[in-house]
């Protein structure tokens, strides 16, 4: 049973679902509903070729406690009825935590894809979700050397850890050609390859804090006077801009885009400014410099390699950081594996369970 609920999880699940099917395993996908609108959910299933969810819980909105509690309430009887051999969870969202917690209490083995990441900022809900999920999980599927080492430092035995690489790298390799063939997003918005900046902003730390959001808006607006800046606008960010009374004048805000359009925008950007963990990595996969609009990152290897730089809102001059990063490149390396993480995940699951 695969538990997903948010855009990054759909992307990560796509290569794993293909590998599970190729390995003769039966997968049942449960969509919690955390990302519920068509632009943030349905289009990803269509474009990525993910099997339709067997169950849709319809849980969205509300605070962390209400959302996670509603997911738990819905998942527990579903898991009891379906009795999966494994529950597979991804990343660090409320859907991740609810899936791991529900399965653990029912003594169903949990496998966590993207285990071992740490930002070392306990104020982030995602950090809390990661830590709890890792320590509930029976099989920790790590993407990097650093993630593996952090789990060991936290006392998790090697027998529960398998370093597989990053499934988002699998997806980037698989879908790059498809995006080139099918996406017309640059032409649609009059963008020239290599001549614009792509921005994404969605984290609650940035959208809910007027000072941080103001710093990001001002920085992007200043850069947009010099280079086109395009911002696929997350529903949370759109609402926050209205709530705080912040207007975008030069920045070109567009509706959320599907995965193939996002890949095209990322591949051809001169620079990406983002607070998304997944987009930081996608920038690296496509050889595009990145400025991360956060105080820290769980993907520290990208900073070490010079592909990414941190620009904490309110403490850094966002526009200056973007200007300095334009045209830069980092060092080589393969921190995320060789693009076969999904195959290693299936191999890690198979010896632990006899499939019919």
């Amino acid at each position: 049973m695969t538990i997903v609920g948010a855009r990054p999880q759909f992307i990560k699940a796509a290569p794993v679902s293909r590998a599970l099917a190729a390995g003769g395993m039966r997968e049942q996908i449960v969509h919690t509903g955390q990302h519920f609108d068509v632009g943030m959910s349905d289009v990803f299933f269509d474009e990525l070729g993910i099997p339709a969810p067997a169950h849709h819980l319809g849980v969205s909105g509300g605070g962390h406690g209400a959302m996670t509690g509603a997911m738990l309430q819905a998942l527990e009887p579903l898991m009891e009825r379906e009795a999966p051999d494994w529950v597979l969870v991804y990343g660090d969202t409320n859907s991740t935590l609810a899936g791991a917690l529900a399965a653990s209490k029912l003594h169903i083995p949990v496998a966590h894809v993207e285990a071992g990441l740490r930002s070392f900022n306990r104020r982030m809900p995602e950090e809390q979700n990661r830590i709890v999920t890792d320590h509930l999980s029976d099989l920790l599927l790590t993407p990097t050397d650093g993630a593996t080492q952090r789990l060991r430092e936290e006392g998790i035995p090697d027998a529960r850890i398998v370093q597989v690489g990053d499934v988002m790298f699998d997806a980037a390799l698989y879908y790059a050609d498809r995006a080139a063939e099918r996406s017309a997003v640059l032409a649609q918005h009059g963008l020239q390859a290599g001549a614009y900046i792509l921005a994404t902003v969605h984290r609650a730390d940035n959208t809910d804090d007027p000072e941080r959001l103001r710093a990001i808006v001002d920085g992007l607006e200043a850069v947009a006077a010099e280079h086109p800046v395009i911002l696929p606008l997350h529903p949370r960010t759109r609402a926050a801009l209205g709530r705080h009374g912040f207007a975008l004048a030069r920045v070109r805000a567009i509706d959320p885009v599907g995965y193939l359009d996002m890949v095209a925008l990322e591949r051809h950007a001169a620079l990406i400014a983002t607070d998304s963990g997944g987009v930081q990595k996608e920038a690296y996969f496509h050889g595009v410099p990145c400025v991360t609009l956060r105080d820290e990152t769980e993907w520290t290897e990208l900073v070490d390699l010079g592909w990414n730089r941190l620009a904490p809102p309110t403490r850094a001059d966002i526009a200056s950081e973007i200007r300095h990063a334009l045209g830069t490149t980092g060092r080589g390396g393969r921190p995320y594996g060789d693009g076969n993480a999904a195959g290693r995940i299936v191999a890690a699951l198979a010896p632990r369970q006899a499939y019919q």
Side-chain angles (χ1 to χ4, degrees):
M1 180 178 286
T2 294
I3 312 296
V4 292
R7 170 194 179 274
Q9 293 168 330
F10 309 147
I11 297 167
K12 295 165 193 170
V16 178
S17 289
R18 284 197 306 274
L20 287 169
M25 301 182 189
R26 185 167 59 90
E27 180 188 26
Q28 187 176 79
I29 296 177
V30 178
H31 189 334
T32 64
Q34 186 169 340
H35 281 175
F36 59 91
D37 67 34
V38 171
M40 297 294 287
S41 176
D42 293 5
V43 66
F44 287 91
F45 280 84
D46 293 341
E47 289 186 346
L48 297 170
I50 306 171
H55 305 278
H56 199 300
L57 305 184
V59 178
S60 63
H64 291 289
M67 179 186 289
T68 308
M71 290 175 185
L72 279 168
Q73 188 174 21
L75 283 169
E76 186 174 72
L78 180 60
M79 290 180 183
E80 287 182 314
R81 184 170 69 249
E82 299 294 342
D85 298 304
W86 281 97
V87 167
L88 192 61
V89 296
Y90 291 84
D92 55 20
T93 70
N94 289 338
S95 300
T96 312
L97 177 61
L101 192 55
S104 178
K105 285 179 175 289
L106 294 172
H107 309 295
I108 299 170
V110 179
H112 184 201
V113 176
E114 212 173 73
L117 300 187
R118 299 290 182 268
S119 68
F120 303 102
N121 178 2
R122 289 290 187 97
R123 289 180 53 83
M124 292 175 60
E126 295 90 347
E127 183 79 348
Q128 298 162 14
N129 291 343
R130 292 179 195 123
I131 292 169
V132 176
T133 299
D134 279 345
H135 286 267
L136 288 173
S137 296
D138 301 274
L139 181 60
L140 295 109
L141 301 157
T142 61
T144 63
D145 292 340
T148 298
Q149 184 58 32
R150 280 188 284 275
L151 293 177
R152 289 171 175 156
E153 291 169 356
E154 292 179 14
I156 293 176
D158 281 352
R160 290 167 54 194
I161 303 170
V162 180
Q163 186 168 326
V164 295
D166 196 317
V167 291
M168 289 192 74
F169 188 33
D170 294 25
L173 294 175
Y174 185 85
Y175 290 104
D177 290 342
R178 187 174 297 191
E181 293 170 0
R182 299 188 185 182
S183 176
V185 68
L186 269 68
Q188 180 183 349
H189 295 286
L191 298 171
Q192 182 179 349
Y196 64 90
I197 291 165
L198 172 65
T200 78
V201 181
H202 79 282
R203 287 191 181 269
D205 273 2
N206 285 335
T207 60
D208 294 352
D209 184 325
E211 188 179 2
R212 293 175 72 90
L213 187 59
R214 175 84 274 172
I216 292 170
V217 169
D218 288 350
L220 294 178
E221 283 287 311
V223 171
E226 306 156 8
H227 309 276
V229 177
I230 190 160
L231 173 67
L233 201 52
H234 191 286
R236 176 192 290 151
T237 311
R238 186 183 295 277
L241 290 170
R243 185 169 63 251
H244 299 311
F246 298 159
L248 298 172
R250 299 186 183 96
V251 173
R252 297 175 56 186
I254 63 174
D255 289 335
V257 297
Y259 181 62
L260 297 183
D261 282 347
M262 190 63 177
V263 168
L265 287 171
E266 290 168 343
R267 290 183 75 189
H268 297 293
L271 178 139
I272 296 173
T274 185
D275 61 6
S276 162
V279 175
Q280 290 173 52
K281 286 187 298 176
E282 289 167 343
Y284 168 73
F285 297 154
H286 301 307
V288 176
C290 182
V291 173
T292 294
L293 308 172
R294 287 169 49 189
D295 299 270
E296 71 290 302
T297 178
E298 53 275 29
W299 302 107
T300 54
E301 52 279 341
L302 296 182
V303 177
D304 295 340
L305 289 171
W307 285 100
N308 190 8
R309 63 180 67 198
L310 295 176
T314 74
R315 295 210 310 275
D317 182 337
I318 303 299
S320 177
E321 292 289 351
I322 290 173
R323 292 186 188 110
H324 287 145
L326 275 167
T328 63
T329 57
R331 300 188 303 280
R334 296 180 68 177
Y336 301 114
D338 59 3
N340 188 34
R344 292 189 181 90
I345 288 169
V346 173
L349 290 169
R352 292 168 167 83
Q353 180 64 52
Y355 287 86
Q356 301 300 318

